[in-house]
Amino acid sequence: MPPPLIFYFDFSSPYGFLAAREIDSLAAARGRAVDWRPMLLGAVFKRNGVRPNLDVPLKGAYTRHDFARAGRRLGLEVRLPEPFPFSSVAAARAFYWLCDQVAAQAKAQPHARPQAQAQAKALALALYERAFLAGQDISRSESVLEVAAAQDLDRTALADGLQTPAVKARLRREVEAAIDAGVFGSPYLLVDGEPFWGYDRLPQVAAWLDSGGW
Amino acid sequence: MPPPLIFYFDFSSPYGFLAAREIDSLAAARGRAVDWRPMLLGAVFKRNGVRPNLDVPLKGAYTRHDFARAGRRLGLEVRLPEPFPFSSVAAARAFYWLCDQVAAQAKAQPHARPQAQAQAKALALALYERAFLAGQDISRSESVLEVAAAQDLDRTALADGLQTPAVKARLRREVEAAIDAGVFGSPYLLVDGEPFWGYDRLPQVAAWLDSGGW
């Protein structure tokens, strides 16, 4: 089995949301799994001296317009929560906490990681939908816990998890690893080492996988 | 006949080159003409406080990689001329000079503009190909004159034209008009007022025209 695609995203990224909805089925149709790696775009931007598009005068207005238009095309009424952008630290920590939890429970199984991620991906999509479909907050720990509870996850254990040094350190490591891998935006995909930046690159990713590259 | 699409681009924009190769046939297949409007991205960036992607550390490397990849997919061996980015003032002035020349000659005809643009578009594509296929300079007036001469244009008249206050003023007006229209990147398309930014939006432009929008 070829290695999984690596899907870097930030929970505060509107186009990350659109990509997250589609990437697993796009890859699965081509016999590939996807490893999801939430990271913090703020830290990435800081390192690269980049401002997010939404902060740039004309680009910001266009990006809001384009995101709504991209949503309509998919039959979705997308929204940006207020305030925007927002901190995605709690959401990202919750994701990795859940990965670690399920992986620990399934330690005996050699292929634990994909199973561990299935639950974490479901949580991620629920968080993303709260932010960009319901237009509600996912920046506060309390909001993340609500979404997790609605997914039948252990609210108390997660509340503790969000505060543990190991989970905080895990997210910091993941952000550093993303920066080291060259990630500078969200969504950002690595397909056998080949980088694709942006939701609008998904058709090209599909073509790349179909053809074996060009 | 519905109004033409408006195609804003900078002669120093690699993705502007890719879009210029395709936009007229994309539009013509849907019964639409395209009005080409070269502008100066430097002036636009300055107004918006934006740095070009190629100047941003990781984005620059990615953009070079992505441009080459996009070219390969089209069967093109694309290049970036050195130095890059370069001044596109002479190329843009030549374009508008030629539009004005041909329009003046055809003044009696009510539909002069599309005919005027046909020659100017051929010159634009030849300039673009010199820059991004041959990887050669188009920033100096001398280079622009060479390309024009190869297109059977009057080299001496163009050399004079590049220095006339009217042509200089025309380009300044076009740049201001582009900024006023909300343009902040290249390529940038207006389809009945609907903005589309980037070469990778062309499939969406086609879908928009096919469906009447969504």
Side-chain angles (χ1 to χ4, degrees):
Chain A
M1 176 122 176
L5 279 54
I6 308 182
F7 171 50
Y8 297 96
F9 64 97
D10 186 309
F11 278 107
S12 74
S13 161
Y15 297 102
F17 162 57
L18 297 182
R21 295 178 66 253
E22 298 176 24
I23 188 61
D24 273 35
S25 57
L26 183 158
R30 292 157 179 90
R32 302 292 289 261
V34 186
D35 195 2
W36 289 27
R37 303 272 181 92
M39 45 85 198
L40 303 175
L41 216 42
V44 171
F45 283 153
K46 199 170 170 186
R47 183 77 67 92
N48 289 308
V50 183
R51 280 196 291 168
N53 276 346
L54 281 158
D55 285 2
V56 179
L58 289 174
K59 263 188 183 172
Y62 174 84
T63 301
R64 285 168 192 269
H65 181 82
D66 184 68
F67 177 54
R69 182 172 62 194
R72 284 200 308 278
R73 197 176 181 195
L74 302 165
L76 300 175
E77 201 180 319
V78 296
R79 289 185 176 80
L80 293 187
E82 285 298 334
F84 186 88
F86 54 83
S87 164
S88 55
V89 171
R93 281 184 190 159
F95 181 92
Y96 287 118
W97 170 83
L98 186 52
C99 287
D100 287 348
Q101 286 295 111
V102 189
Q105 284 161 18
K107 212 174 180 179
Q109 298 174 26
H111 299 296
R113 194 175 170 86
Q115 280 78 38
Q117 278 226 340
Q119 278 192 48
K121 287 177 182 180
L123 174 64
L125 286 170
L127 286 163
Y128 255 150
E129 287 174 6
R130 179 177 164 115
F132 295 112
L133 289 184
Q136 290 173 11
D137 175 78
I138 60 164
S139 68
R140 294 177 304 115
S141 295
E142 195 54 38
S143 310
V144 172
L145 294 175
E146 259 177 44
V147 174
Q151 297 273 310
D152 288 328
L153 296 171
D154 184 336
R155 183 179 182 131
T156 312
L158 175 55
D160 290 347
L162 292 181
Q163 298 308 322
T164 62
V167 171
K168 294 179 180 179
R170 168 79 190 268
L171 177 56
R172 278 196 301 274
R173 279 201 311 278
E174 293 286 349
V175 170
E176 285 304 310
I179 293 171
D180 290 347
V183 174
F184 57 82
S186 168
Y188 191 97
L189 273 161
L190 281 178
V191 180
D192 306 327
E194 186 72 18
F196 294 90
W197 168 42
Y199 171 63
D200 42 25
R201 279 289 176 279
L202 289 197
Q204 211 179 81
V205 168
W208 186 270
L209 288 170
D210 287 338
S211 67
W214 56 82
Chain B
M1 178 124 173
L5 279 54
I6 307 181
F7 171 51
Y8 298 96
F9 63 98
D10 186 308
F11 277 107
S12 74
S13 159
Y15 297 103
F17 162 56
L18 297 182
R21 294 177 68 254
E22 298 176 22
I23 187 61
D24 272 35
S25 56
L26 183 157
R30 292 157 180 91
R32 302 292 289 262
V34 186
D35 194 1
W36 290 26
R37 303 272 180 92
M39 45 85 198
L40 303 175
L41 215 42
V44 171
F45 284 153
K46 199 171 172 186
R47 182 77 66 91
N48 290 306
V50 183
R51 280 196 291 168
N53 277 346
L54 280 158
D55 285 2
V56 179
L58 289 174
K59 264 188 182 171
Y62 174 84
T63 301
R64 284 167 193 269
H65 181 83
D66 183 68
F67 178 54
R69 181 171 63 194
R72 284 200 310 277
R73 197 176 181 195
L74 301 166
L76 302 174
E77 200 179 320
V78 296
R79 289 183 176 81
L80 293 187
E82 286 297 336
F84 186 88
F86 54 83
S87 165
S88 55
V89 170
R93 281 184 190 159
F95 181 92
Y96 287 118
W97 170 83
L98 186 52
C99 286
D100 288 348
Q101 286 295 110
V102 188
Q105 286 161 18
K107 212 174 180 180
Q109 297 173 28
H111 298 296
R113 195 176 170 83
Q115 279 79 35
Q117 278 227 339
Q119 280 192 48
K121 287 177 183 181
L123 174 63
L125 286 170
L127 286 164
Y128 255 150
E129 286 174 7
R130 179 177 163 113
F132 295 112
L133 288 184
Q136 290 173 10
D137 175 76
I138 60 164
S139 68
R140 293 176 306 115
S141 295
E142 195 54 38
S143 310
V144 172
L145 294 175
E146 259 177 45
V147 175
Q151 298 274 310
D152 288 326
L153 297 171
D154 183 335
R155 184 180 181 130
T156 313
L158 175 54
D160 290 346
L162 292 182
Q163 298 308 323
T164 62
V167 172
K168 294 179 179 179
R170 167 80 190 268
L171 177 56
R172 278 197 301 274
R173 280 200 311 278
E174 293 287 349
V175 170
E176 283 305 311
I179 293 172
D180 290 347
V183 175
F184 57 82
S186 167
Y188 191 97
L189 274 160
L190 280 179
V191 181
D192 307 326
E194 186 72 19
F196 294 89
W197 167 42
Y199 172 62
D200 42 24
R201 279 288 176 280
L202 289 197
Q204 212 179 80
V205 169
W208 185 270
L209 288 170
D210 287 337
S211 67
W214 56 82

